[in-house]
PDB file of all heavy atoms in Angstrom:
ATOM      1  N   LEU Q 133      63.684 166.258 119.309  1.00  0.00           N
ATOM      2  CA  LEU Q 133      62.334 166.782 119.280  1.00  0.00           C
ATOM      3  C   LEU Q 133      62.067 167.489 117.956  1.00  0.00           C
ATOM      4  O   LEU Q 133      62.975 168.037 117.352  1.00  0.00           O
ATOM      5  CB  LEU Q 133      62.102 167.792 120.408  1.00  0.00           C
ATOM      6  CG  LEU Q 133      62.413 167.412 121.836  1.00  0.00           C
ATOM      7  CD1 LEU Q 133      62.261 168.648 122.715  1.00  0.00           C
ATOM      8  CD2 LEU Q 133      61.439 166.330 122.293  1.00  0.00           C
ATOM      9  N   THR Q 134      60.807 167.510 117.574  1.00  0.00           N
ATOM     10  CA  THR Q 134      60.345 168.391 116.496  1.00  0.00           C
ATOM     11  C   THR Q 134      59.234 169.249 117.048  1.00  0.00           C
ATOM     12  O   THR Q 134      58.233 168.729 117.578  1.00  0.00           O
ATOM     13  CB  THR Q 134      59.846 167.592 115.286  1.00  0.00           C
ATOM     14  OG1 THR Q 134      60.917 166.774 114.775  1.00  0.00           O
ATOM     15  CG2 THR Q 134      59.372 168.534 114.182  1.00  0.00           C
ATOM     16  N   VAL Q 135      59.410 170.567 116.983  1.00  0.00           N
ATOM     17  CA  VAL Q 135      58.425 171.500 117.535  1.00  0.00           C
ATOM     18  C   VAL Q 135      58.095 172.524 116.455  1.00  0.00           C
ATOM     19  O   VAL Q 135      58.994 173.239 115.985  1.00  0.00           O
ATOM     20  CB  VAL Q 135      58.997 172.199 118.779  1.00  0.00           C
ATOM     21  CG1 VAL Q 135      57.966 173.228 119.321  1.00  0.00           C
ATOM     22  CG2 VAL Q 135      59.333 171.196 119.878  1.00  0.00           C
ATOM     23  N   LEU Q 136      56.857 172.539 116.049  1.00  0.00           N
ATOM     24  CA  LEU Q 136      56.393 173.460 114.987  1.00  0.00           C
ATOM     25  C   LEU Q 136      57.289 173.374 113.744  1.00  0.00           C
ATOM     26  O   LEU Q 136      57.656 174.410 113.154  1.00  0.00           O
ATOM     27  CB  LEU Q 136      56.318 174.890 115.515  1.00  0.00           C
ATOM     28  CG  LEU Q 136      55.303 175.157 116.634  1.00  0.00           C
ATOM     29  CD1 LEU Q 136      55.292 176.629 117.004  1.00  0.00           C
ATOM     30  CD2 LEU Q 136      53.906 174.721 116.210  1.00  0.00           C
ATOM     31  N   GLY Q 137      57.683 172.172 113.396  1.00  0.00           N
ATOM     32  CA  GLY Q 137      58.496 171.957 112.196  1.00  0.00           C
ATOM     33  C   GLY Q 137      59.984 172.177 112.396  1.00  0.00           C
ATOM     34  O   GLY Q 137      60.758 171.837 111.493  1.00  0.00           O
ATOM     35  N   LYS Q 138      60.383 172.683 113.552  1.00  0.00           N
ATOM     36  CA  LYS Q 138      61.819 172.864 113.830  1.00  0.00           C
ATOM     37  C   LYS Q 138      62.324 171.646 114.587  1.00  0.00           C
ATOM     38  O   LYS Q 138      61.674 171.179 115.526  1.00  0.00           O
ATOM     39  CB  LYS Q 138      62.064 174.140 114.654  1.00  0.00           C
ATOM     40  CG  LYS Q 138      61.673 175.429 113.944  1.00  0.00           C
ATOM     41  CD  LYS Q 138      62.190 176.641 114.715  1.00  0.00           C
ATOM     42  CE  LYS Q 138      61.485 176.854 116.031  1.00  0.00           C
ATOM     43  NZ  LYS Q 138      60.141 177.395 115.912  1.00  0.00           N
ATOM     44  N   GLN Q 139      63.513 171.179 114.215  1.00  0.00           N
ATOM     45  CA  GLN Q 139      64.099 170.006 114.860  1.00  0.00           C
ATOM     46  C   GLN Q 139      65.153 170.430 115.882  1.00  0.00           C
ATOM     47  O   GLN Q 139      65.952 171.324 115.617  1.00  0.00           O
ATOM     48  CB  GLN Q 139      64.736 169.079 113.805  1.00  0.00           C
ATOM     49  CG  GLN Q 139      63.747 168.499 112.828  1.00  0.00           C
ATOM     50  CD  GLN Q 139      64.401 167.575 111.830  1.00  0.00           C
ATOM     51  OE1 GLN Q 139      64.856 166.480 112.182  1.00  0.00           O
ATOM     52  NE2 GLN Q 139      64.483 167.998 110.585  1.00  0.00           N
ATOM     53  N   PHE Q 140      65.164 169.731 117.013  1.00  0.00           N
ATOM     54  CA  PHE Q 140      66.090 170.051 118.114  1.00  0.00           C
ATOM     55  C   PHE Q 140      66.765 168.772 118.600  1.00  0.00           C
ATOM     56  O   PHE Q 140      66.141 167.721 118.684  1.00  0.00           O
ATOM     57  CB  PHE Q 140      65.328 170.685 119.278  1.00  0.00           C
ATOM     58  CG  PHE Q 140      64.687 171.999 118.944  1.00  0.00           C
ATOM     59  CD1 PHE Q 140      63.375 172.033 118.481  1.00  0.00           C
ATOM     60  CD2 PHE Q 140      65.380 173.184 119.110  1.00  0.00           C
ATOM     61  CE1 PHE Q 140      62.754 173.238 118.183  1.00  0.00           C
ATOM     62  CE2 PHE Q 140      64.756 174.400 118.805  1.00  0.00           C
ATOM     63  CZ  PHE Q 140      63.454 174.424 118.333  1.00  0.00           C
ATOM     64  N   VAL Q 141      68.039 168.908 118.923  1.00  0.00           N
ATOM     65  CA  VAL Q 141      68.799 167.845 119.598  1.00  0.00           C
ATOM     66  C   VAL Q 141      69.183 168.414 120.965  1.00  0.00           C
ATOM     67  O   VAL Q 141      69.833 169.450 121.068  1.00  0.00           O
ATOM     68  CB  VAL Q 141      70.058 167.446 118.804  1.00  0.00           C
ATOM     69  CG1 VAL Q 141      70.909 166.472 119.618  1.00  0.00           C
ATOM     70  CG2 VAL Q 141      69.681 166.836 117.459  1.00  0.00           C
ATOM     71  N   LEU Q 142      68.792 167.707 122.029  1.00  0.00           N
ATOM     72  CA  LEU Q 142      69.075 168.132 123.392  1.00  0.00           C
ATOM     73  C   LEU Q 142      70.078 167.186 124.028  1.00  0.00           C
ATOM     74  O   LEU Q 142      69.848 165.988 124.081  1.00  0.00           O
ATOM     75  CB  LEU Q 142      67.789 168.118 124.226  1.00  0.00           C
ATOM     76  CG  LEU Q 142      66.796 169.278 124.122  1.00  0.00           C
ATOM     77  CD1 LEU Q 142      66.361 169.547 122.681  1.00  0.00           C
ATOM     78  CD2 LEU Q 142      65.548 168.999 124.977  1.00  0.00           C
ATOM     79  N   VAL Q 143      71.187 167.731 124.482  1.00  0.00           N
ATOM     80  CA  VAL Q 143      72.186 166.976 125.238  1.00  0.00           C
ATOM     81  C   VAL Q 143      72.725 167.865 126.358  1.00  0.00           C
ATOM     82  O   VAL Q 143      72.647 169.094 126.256  1.00  0.00           O
ATOM     83  CB  VAL Q 143      73.369 166.435 124.382  1.00  0.00           C
ATOM     84  CG1 VAL Q 143      72.852 165.522 123.281  1.00  0.00           C
ATOM     85  CG2 VAL Q 143      74.154 167.603 123.778  1.00  0.00           C
ATOM     86  N   HIS Q 144      73.285 167.251 127.360  1.00  0.00           N
ATOM     87  CA  HIS Q 144      73.764 168.059 128.489  1.00  0.00           C
ATOM     88  C   HIS Q 144      74.947 168.932 128.105  1.00  0.00           C
ATOM     89  O   HIS Q 144      74.948 170.143 128.337  1.00  0.00           O
ATOM     90  CB  HIS Q 144      74.174 167.188 129.679  1.00  0.00           C
ATOM     91  CG  HIS Q 144      74.833 167.974 130.760  1.00  0.00           C
ATOM     92  ND1 HIS Q 144      74.176 168.947 131.475  1.00  0.00           N
ATOM     93  CD2 HIS Q 144      76.119 167.951 131.252  1.00  0.00           C
ATOM     94  CE1 HIS Q 144      75.018 169.488 132.338  1.00  0.00           C
ATOM     95  NE2 HIS Q 144      76.192 168.930 132.215  1.00  0.00           N
ATOM     96  N   ALA Q 145      75.976 168.319 127.494  1.00  0.00           N
ATOM     97  CA  ALA Q 145      77.224 169.051 127.335  1.00  0.00           C
ATOM     98  C   ALA Q 145      77.571 169.372 125.896  1.00  0.00           C
ATOM     99  O   ALA Q 145      77.867 170.505 125.528  1.00  0.00           O
ATOM    100  CB  ALA Q 145      78.403 168.276 127.971  1.00  0.00           C
ATOM    101  N   GLY Q 146      77.598 168.364 125.048  1.00  0.00           N
ATOM    102  CA  GLY Q 146      78.002 168.532 123.664  1.00  0.00           C
ATOM    103  C   GLY Q 146      78.064 167.187 123.000  1.00  0.00           C
ATOM    104  O   GLY Q 146      77.490 166.215 123.499  1.00  0.00           O
ATOM    105  N   ILE Q 147      78.741 167.112 121.871  1.00  0.00           N
ATOM    106  CA  ILE Q 147      78.875 165.834 121.157  1.00  0.00           C
ATOM    107  C   ILE Q 147      80.359 165.641 120.833  1.00  0.00           C
ATOM    108  O   ILE Q 147      80.863 166.166 119.852  1.00  0.00           O
ATOM    109  CB  ILE Q 147      78.026 165.805 119.879  1.00  0.00           C
ATOM    110  CG1 ILE Q 147      76.556 166.182 120.180  1.00  0.00           C
ATOM    111  CG2 ILE Q 147      78.080 164.424 119.243  1.00  0.00           C
ATOM    112  CD1 ILE Q 147      75.676 166.245 118.958  1.00  0.00           C
ATOM    113  N   ASP Q 148      81.033 164.882 121.672  1.00  0.00           N
ATOM    114  CA  ASP Q 148      82.456 164.636 121.490  1.00  0.00           C
ATOM    115  C   ASP Q 148      82.650 163.630 120.352  1.00  0.00           C
ATOM    116  O   ASP Q 148      81.805 162.771 120.115  1.00  0.00           O
ATOM    117  CB  ASP Q 148      83.040 164.092 122.789  1.00  0.00           C
ATOM    118  CG  ASP Q 148      84.549 164.268 122.852  1.00  0.00           C
ATOM    119  OD1 ASP Q 148      85.120 164.933 121.966  1.00  0.00           O
ATOM    120  OD2 ASP Q 148      85.164 163.726 123.793  1.00  0.00           O
ATOM    121  N   ASN Q 149      83.784 163.768 119.655  1.00  0.00           N
ATOM    122  CA  ASN Q 149      84.087 162.892 118.511  1.00  0.00           C
ATOM    123  C   ASN Q 149      82.962 162.931 117.487  1.00  0.00           C
ATOM    124  O   ASN Q 149      82.539 161.911 116.939  1.00  0.00           O
ATOM    125  CB  ASN Q 149      84.339 161.454 118.961  1.00  0.00           C
ATOM    126  CG  ASN Q 149      85.509 161.368 119.948  1.00  0.00           C
ATOM    127  OD1 ASN Q 149      86.577 161.892 119.688  1.00  0.00           O
ATOM    128  ND2 ASN Q 149      85.287 160.681 121.059  1.00  0.00           N
ATOM    129  N   PHE Q 150      82.506 164.143 117.212  1.00  0.00           N
ATOM    130  CA  PHE Q 150      81.322 164.317 116.361  1.00  0.00           C
ATOM    131  C   PHE Q 150      81.595 163.915 114.911  1.00  0.00           C
ATOM    132  O   PHE Q 150      82.656 164.182 114.355  1.00  0.00           O
ATOM    133  CB  PHE Q 150      80.866 165.787 116.374  1.00  0.00           C
ATOM    134  CG  PHE Q 150      79.730 166.052 115.468  1.00  0.00           C
ATOM    135  CD1 PHE Q 150      78.447 165.660 115.786  1.00  0.00           C
ATOM    136  CD2 PHE Q 150      79.937 166.727 114.259  1.00  0.00           C
ATOM    137  CE1 PHE Q 150      77.394 165.891 114.916  1.00  0.00           C
ATOM    138  CE2 PHE Q 150      78.879 166.990 113.382  1.00  0.00           C
ATOM    139  CZ  PHE Q 150      77.594 166.582 113.721  1.00  0.00           C
ATOM    140  N   SER Q 151      80.610 163.252 114.311  1.00  0.00           N
ATOM    141  CA  SER Q 151      80.634 162.943 112.895  1.00  0.00           C
ATOM    142  C   SER Q 151      79.201 163.047 112.359  1.00  0.00           C
ATOM    143  O   SER Q 151      78.267 162.531 112.993  1.00  0.00           O
ATOM    144  CB  SER Q 151      81.160 161.539 112.641  1.00  0.00           C
ATOM    145  OG  SER Q 151      80.930 161.139 111.299  1.00  0.00           O
ATOM    146  N   LYS Q 152      79.011 163.700 111.247  1.00  0.00           N
ATOM    147  CA  LYS Q 152      77.679 163.846 110.664  1.00  0.00           C
ATOM    148  C   LYS Q 152      77.107 162.509 110.214  1.00  0.00           C
ATOM    149  O   LYS Q 152      75.926 162.386 109.968  1.00  0.00           O
ATOM    150  CB  LYS Q 152      77.708 164.832 109.496  1.00  0.00           C
ATOM    151  CG  LYS Q 152      77.912 166.263 109.948  1.00  0.00           C
ATOM    152  CD  LYS Q 152      77.718 167.262 108.821  1.00  0.00           C
ATOM    153  CE  LYS Q 152      77.844 168.688 109.359  1.00  0.00           C
ATOM    154  NZ  LYS Q 152      77.598 169.709 108.296  1.00  0.00           N
ATOM    155  N   GLU Q 153      77.987 161.522 110.083  1.00  0.00           N
ATOM    156  CA  GLU Q 153      77.547 160.203 109.646  1.00  0.00           C
ATOM    157  C   GLU Q 153      77.016 159.349 110.809  1.00  0.00           C
ATOM    158  O   GLU Q 153      76.398 158.307 110.586  1.00  0.00           O
ATOM    159  CB  GLU Q 153      78.688 159.432 108.965  1.00  0.00           C
ATOM    160  CG  GLU Q 153      78.994 159.858 107.537  1.00  0.00           C
ATOM    161  CD  GLU Q 153      79.587 161.259 107.452  1.00  0.00           C
ATOM    162  OE1 GLU Q 153      80.550 161.537 108.184  1.00  0.00           O
ATOM    163  OE2 GLU Q 153      79.075 162.062 106.639  1.00  0.00           O
TER     164      GLU Q 153
END
Side-chain angles (χ1 to χ4, degrees):
L133 305 173
T134 300
V135 178
L136 296 182
K138 297 190 292 285
Q139 296 182 69
F140 298 90
V141 173
L142 280 54
V143 300
H144 173 64
I147 307 177
D148 200 8
N149 301 311
F150 176 75
S151 169
K152 290 190 176 182
E153 283 69 49

